[in-house]
Structures are given as structure tokens and as C-alpha cells.
Amino acid sequence: MSDKNALIQPDRGQQAVSIHLIDKDGLDKFTKGLTVPQRAMLEAARFDASAGEYVILPEDDGWCVAAGIADAAQLGGWCMARLAEKLPAGTYRRAGGEPGAAIFGWILGQYSFDRYKADAEDHGPRVLLTGEPAQIAALTAEAEAVMLVRDLVNTPAEDMGPAQLEAEAEALHKAFRAEIRVTRGEVLERDFPMVHAVGRAAGRSHAPRLIELEWGDPKNPRIAVVGKGVCFDSGGLDVKPSSGMLLMKKDMGGAAHALALARLIMDAQLPVRLHVLIPAVENAISGNAFRPGDVLRSRAGITVEIGNTDAEGRLILGDALTRAGEEKPELIIDFATLTGAARVAVGPDLPALFTREDATADALLAAGKAVDDPCWRLPLHEGYREYLKSDVADINNAGSSGFAGASTAALFLDRFVPKGMDWAHFDTFAWRPTAKAGRPKGGEALGLRAAWHMLKGRYG
């Protein structure tokens, strides 16, 4: 990295404050090496090397940091994130070892969303040194991708509508010389009728569209990445209660994940032919809003009875997945903030993962575990397809049962992916309801790094 202001810099012996990472097993040995004043301060702070705990100690003419960690021999991505949040501005190095994977959390520990604050606090950068400079670019890129998801999801719907998602795709087009196509208006109504139907009630400034990017050598394996872009979800005519709308600016979190994953793929020059698809809409209420009981014809020709206008995400994804499948990719990955049922099942931290292929699920789960981005697989159980039966159309968009809501939503999407095609669906929350080290309350990338590392393992 040549940027002298970068948060991660190569260690060239420059002056820096030492950070001692200590687990409970190593506390006695560390304590024995301290001076009497240092031991006194450690005891006064009641430091016991619990993860996330730290204390500042005097050292020579300056000071150092003793920080608790779960396992000093196996650093995780978040183990130094709280230090990055709390320590004063300055330059730091890990004593007796390299920060390794903790570089990722060090960067994200300094993230803040202050676009709308006139008096945003600036505590100055906390720079971390590493003797393994080859790691800097990759881990920085991943942290920047997570920050992109956070920024997009945190931005209110008035400033993050379909047009703004298009602008984000346009920025990728320019940065990486990708091809871009945007379908809107009468052509959208004809070619992507479910995207149009969901978004047609919105005002002109938030008009619906289907955004596509293509990048990479056409001779390389083709993959598709699809992201749900409902920029605000009122629930439509099946209107949500006011409490249910408070977080609905995040309903484009799937699109944010898709754009961030695309940037990682293009920036790393992964040898694939990438196809990104984002159906971008606002599910609004007006005189021309689609209605419960309507029957919509999809791009695939499948007719869909509308059992609930608040199950709109699966409709727009149905058209986008159909379009992705037409190009015969060897893998489709979609991200969507699709169901509350997934949150009931696995909570806010774990994206629910659905795949057709066991090998694909295994690879995604292993990748997520390796990089502190865990996922949890839920079933595409054939027996639940009956919940989507319609008396008047090929399928209903809302399940007839209160059971297995995440699985029935995934089975709805499965209907629009060509048979035999490898496909993974992330039902992600894209939000953190309570803060953790390096992970403030607000928009969050969940499943992004799992997908990225799986793709690197498969195609890199």
C-alpha cells in the first residue's frame, strides 16, 4: 500500500505502540515479564485476559496495550476490532507476532455512518502495522466491500432508491469496464412483468428497473449474482404496521450484497464471466398498486396469484432469476432480505442458506466458518411445495401455511431457476440490531464473505 494514510501499513520498523494479545493460558507468563508498576496497574484494572478487555500500561518513555483474546495462537477477524474502536489515534503493532486475519476487523472497527451528522466525531486514524504486506490488499478489499453494504443499507430510502442503485452499478461499470444494461418503462412491463407490477405504484423518481452488469472474458465459466433491490417496502396494499416499516430502507440489502460481491470479483480479476442482476423497485401504495388476488404473468410464463402484496421480493427475484438462467450459468447466487421466518429460525446473525447441491452448501458453510461469516443451511423440502398451490394460477406468492415460511419462499424462487442448475439462495437480514466489536448497529454484510471465499476457492 502506498497510501500513507491507510489504516493498514507495512511494518518497516517505524515507531509504534505495542499491543500484547494475551489469552487466559498466557496471562501468568505475560504478568511475570512485567515491571512492578505495570503489574500493579494490571491488578488495579482487574485484567484477566477476557476477550475484548484491554488496559494501557506504561512502557519506557511511552505506553503499551495489553488486550485479552480468546486464543492468541488463532486470531479471528474481529479479535482486534474493539481496540481499533477505542484506542487513541496513532500507529500500533502487535508484539510478538503478526495481526493476520485481525486486519479485517481493525479496519471495520473504525467504520461509522455519519453522512447526516453535522458534528460527526473524528478521533483520527488508528494505523496497524503488519510484516505480511501481501495480506493488506485482499483484506482491505473485503473490509471495503462490507463498508459498501453498510453504507447502502444505512442510507434512507429517499436517497437510496432504484435510481441510486443504478448509479452504484454505473460506478462499477466505469471502474471495471463492465457492460451495463438498464431496462425500464414499457420494455420493463413487457419483459419483466413482475418487476414492473411490484414497482409501478412508486413515484417517477423511484420508478422500477432491472439493472444488469456483465464483466469478464466470455470464455471463462459464467456465474450470476442476483440481489433483491426493494428500496422501501410499505407492504403494498397489504400494508405493514408502522413498526414493521421502520427498517424497510434495508429491504434492498440483497442488492447491496450483490454489488459488493461484484466489486470483489472484478477487483480481484477472478477468472469468471460475471452477470449481475438487480431488480430495483419501491413497493409503494397508490391507485395503480398491484392487489391481493391479482394474477401476474412472469417472464418465465408462469402465472402467479398474489396472496399477499407484502411478499413482493420473491416476485421481482423470480423475473431476475429467470433472466439469469437464460444465459446458462454454471452457478447462480442470490441475496435477499426475504422473510421474517428466516430471522425467527436462525436469528439476526446467521443468513439462512438454501442450495440444491450439497457440495455447494458445504463449500459455502466451510468458507463462512473460516472467515467469521457463518451461515446456516435450511431445507428446500419438496413436501412444502403444496403450500404454494393456487386455485387460479400456476403458483401463489404467499404460502397457505404459517409453517416453514423461509423454505416456502425459497421454493417459490426455485420454480424460476432452470432445472438442474446449481443455485444458492441467501435469506439475509442485512442488519445488526445490537452492536458488537467492529460491527455497529445498522446495515451489515451477512453471507458476503462466505460467498466470496467460496467463489475464490472454486474459480481462483
Side-chain angles (χ1 to χ4, degrees):
M1 295 282 288
S2 59
D3 184 359
K4 66 179 181 180
N5 298 314
L7 298 180
I8 310 297
Q9 296 182 18
D11 192 340
R12 300 187 176 93
Q14 56 267 59
Q15 186 175 356
V17 175
S18 296
I19 297 175
H20 300 270
L21 298 180
I22 310 143
D23 56 28
K24 290 183 180 295
D25 291 340
L27 180 58
D28 286 344
K29 180 179 179 181
F30 174 74
T31 303
K32 289 176 181 177
L34 298 178
T35 64
V36 172
Q38 286 175 327
R39 282 199 297 271
M41 290 192 67
L42 207 66
E43 291 173 5
R46 298 182 179 178
F47 179 82
D48 66 358
S50 294
E53 184 182 36
Y54 76 96
V55 61
I56 291 177
L57 302 174
E59 184 178 62
D60 299 329
D61 294 330
W63 51 280
C64 65
V65 180
I69 190 172
D71 184 355
Q74 187 70 38
L75 301 191
W78 301 110
C79 66
M80 296 180 73
R82 189 165 301 283
L83 297 175
E85 290 177 357
K86 300 296 185 181
L87 290 175
T91 301
Y92 299 85
R93 70 162 53 84
R94 181 191 175 191
E98 296 297 335
I103 288 172
F104 174 76
W106 183 273
I107 298 170
L108 288 173
Q110 299 180 60
Y111 170 85
S112 64
F113 183 74
D114 53 17
R115 173 175 174 178
Y116 297 95
K117 292 185 177 181
D119 56 348
E121 296 181 353
D122 183 5
H123 299 294
R126 280 75 77 197
V127 175
L128 182 64
L129 303 179
T130 175
E132 299 172 331
Q135 290 189 324
I136 295 176
L139 288 170
T140 298
E142 290 180 33
E144 289 175 346
V146 170
M147 289 190 281
L148 174 62
V149 173
R150 292 178 179 181
D151 283 346
L152 296 181
V153 173
N154 284 329
T155 302
E158 184 60 25
D159 295 331
M160 187 49 62
Q164 285 74 32
L165 285 181
E166 180 182 335
E168 292 294 330
E170 183 72 28
L172 291 178
H173 150 67
K174 292 179 179 177
F176 298 102
R177 299 181 180 179
E179 304 164 29
I180 188 167
R181 292 186 299 276
V182 181
T183 306
R184 54 170 71 85
E186 293 181 358
V187 179
L188 183 76
E189 182 176 6
R190 182 192 69 204
D191 292 349
F192 300 95
M194 292 202 294
V195 178
H196 174 265
V198 171
R200 71 192 185 199
R204 182 178 299 177
S205 62
H206 293 297
R209 63 205 72 194
L210 190 283
I211 305 162
E212 296 180 77
L213 286 170
E214 288 199 71
W215 171 91
D217 190 337
K219 296 178 182 178
N220 288 334
R222 173 177 281 271
I223 64 171
V225 177
V226 182
K228 173 188 169 186
V230 178
C231 297
F232 188 80
D233 181 19
S234 68
L237 293 178
D238 287 310
V239 62
K240 294 178 183 289
S242 58
S243 60
M245 289 192 217
L246 285 176
L247 292 183
M248 283 303 100
K249 67 178 184 179
K250 78 171 187 65
D251 214 18
M252 40 59 66
H257 281 71
L259 289 167
L261 181 57
R263 190 166 84 171
L264 283 168
I265 290 169
M266 291 188 277
D267 185 57
Q269 296 289 305
L270 198 69
V272 296
R273 176 63 171 176
L274 174 66
H275 188 191
V276 180
L277 303 99
I278 296 173
V281 303
E282 179 179 341
N283 188 18
I285 300 171
S286 74
N288 68 335
F290 76 120
R291 297 165 290 268
D294 281 354
V295 174
L296 305 182
R297 185 170 295 277
S298 67
R299 180 179 178 89
I302 299 167
T303 56
V304 181
E305 180 184 8
I306 303 304
N308 192 321
T309 63
D310 197 22
E312 84 298 330
R314 64 197 69 181
L315 298 173
I316 65 172
L317 286 171
D319 274 353
L321 289 167
T322 299
R323 170 72 188 105
E326 290 167 357
E327 300 296 334
K328 297 180 173 55
E330 64 176 51
L331 173 66
I332 299 176
I333 299 176
D334 80 72
F335 295 89
T337 52
L338 205 61
T339 67
R343 308 286 66 79
V344 172
V346 297
D349 290 353
L350 296 170
L353 172 65
F354 298 85
T355 71
R356 289 173 169 176
E357 303 291 337
D358 290 343
T360 299
D362 291 344
L364 286 165
L365 293 170
K369 183 177 181 180
V371 296
D372 298 308
D373 187 19
C375 315
W376 201 268
R377 191 182 187 188
L378 293 183
L380 283 168
H381 178 53
E382 286 295 320
Y384 295 153
R385 288 192 189 273
E386 65 182 31
Y387 295 159
L388 295 170
K389 286 183 178 178
S390 167
D391 293 332
V392 298
D394 296 325
I395 194 171
N396 196 300
N397 80 319
S400 60
S401 169
F403 297 124
S407 289
T408 55
L411 286 166
F412 181 93
L413 299 182
D414 178 79
R415 185 73 182 271
F416 295 88
V417 179
K419 291 182 179 180
M421 189 167 286
D422 195 3
W423 165 61
H425 161 56
F426 284 93
D427 190 336
T428 185
F429 194 38
W431 190 264
R432 188 165 296 282
T434 55
K436 295 184 178 182
R439 292 152 284 183
K441 179 180 178 179
E444 186 60 290
L446 299 166
L448 171 66
R449 296 181 78 209
W452 167 231
H453 281 264
M454 184 278 281
L455 290 174
K456 283 207 301 181
R458 180 178 289 194
Y459 298 107

